[in-house]
Amino acid sequence: DAKTTQPNSMESNEEEPVHLPCNHSTISGTDYIHWYRQLPSQGPEYVIHGLTSNVNNRMASLAIAEDRKSSTLILHRATLRDAAVYYCILARSSNTGKLIFGQGTTLQVKP
Amino acid sequence: GAVVSQHPSWVICKSGTSVKIECRSLDFQATTMFWYRQFPKQSLMLMATSNEGSKATYEQGVEKDKFLINHASLTLSTLTVTSAHPEDSSFYICSARISGQVTGELFFGEGSRLTVL
């Protein structure tokens, strides 16, 4: 499975945008880019996913580099409830769709 | 949105006993479910892929006789930790995807915290 690399931690101020980077230089053409987040003592929560084009939903935006070797999760206005561990994961369509989690980025949001 | 429910949320058992954790997809059918475990301050580790009506596929290093998985219906998968020991204490999380959607959103349960005394 292709690997992703994320910073261990990031800080943000409340109500400011947050850009969470993810590198996936060995991504293959059939790999989807998924983002999930996890609050303490809870199961992960889906945030967004995409293949090639940038994606937007009510939670966030996903910007995918043209060569697909990196992507950025954008939270447009961070709130205290966005403090969580964010995981960037590649899901191969030919591989039952299982998700292998890396270490993720711990996002702290300061009031 | 689709909901995955786990039961129990937490369980405490004595060493040597077996514990069963249920994972249900409440409003959708799931041909495939996934079981993860998570130790404190660590990431999720995939244990196995549960397939409805067939044997589970275990990840390397996961003992299939220790962690029994049954996926008897399209809405229920169970994980049984057999002869549990303190080192099996962990947060167990299941997830499921809507049948036929191999690359779509994965829905996660709330997790089940197992403590083995």
Side-chain angles (χ1 to χ4, degrees), chain A residues 30 32 34 36 38 41-46 49 87 91-103, chain B residues 32 34 36 38 41-46 49 59 91 93 97 102-111 113:
Chain A
T30 58
Y32 282 73
H34 282 241
Y36 290 78
Q38 185 181 27
S41 298
Q42 294 186 26
E45 173 189 30
Y46 169 82
H49 79 287
Y87 296 99
R92 188 154 294 174
S93 60
S94 59
N95 199 18
T96 73
K98 66 182 181 181
L99 299 184
I100 305 298
F101 282 71
Q103 291 307 305
Chain B
T32 303
F34 304 94
Y36 294 84
Q38 184 175 32
K41 298 195 183 301
Q42 293 187 23
S43 183
L44 285 77
M45 185 197 83
L46 180 65
T49 302
E59 295 296 307
F91 193 47
I93 308 168
R97 190 177 273 119
V102 180
T103 58
E105 174 182 353
L106 203 57
F107 301 96
F108 286 84
E110 322 92 311
R113 188 165 301 283

Side-chain angles (χ1 to χ4, degrees), chain A residues 9-99:
Chain A
S9 63
M10 289 185 66
E11 282 186 0
S12 170
N13 293 317
E14 196 176 12
E15 298 193 3
E16 290 186 357
V18 183
H19 291 234
L20 297 165
C22 181
N23 287 321
H24 28 78
S25 58
T26 59
I27 190 171
S28 76
T30 58
D31 287 340
Y32 282 73
I33 302 161
H34 282 241
W35 284 83
Y36 290 78
R37 70 182 185 182
Q38 185 181 27
L39 278 70
S41 298
Q42 294 186 26
E45 173 189 30
Y46 169 82
V47 178
I48 200 166
H49 79 287
L51 183 61
T52 55
S53 303
N54 294 343
V55 185
N56 300 298
N57 65 21
R58 62 175 179 81
M59 288 182 69
S61 295
L62 176 60
I64 302 173
E66 201 169 323
D67 63 4
R68 300 209 326 127
K69 293 184 185 296
S70 66
S71 61
T72 303
L73 178 71
I74 303 166
L75 306 179
H76 296 286
R77 286 184 67 200
T79 69
L80 296 178
R81 288 177 297 177
D82 292 323
V85 180
Y86 286 79
Y87 296 99
C88 167
I89 308 164
L90 300 183
R92 188 154 294 174
S93 60
S94 59
N95 199 18
T96 73
K98 66 182 181 181
L99 299 184

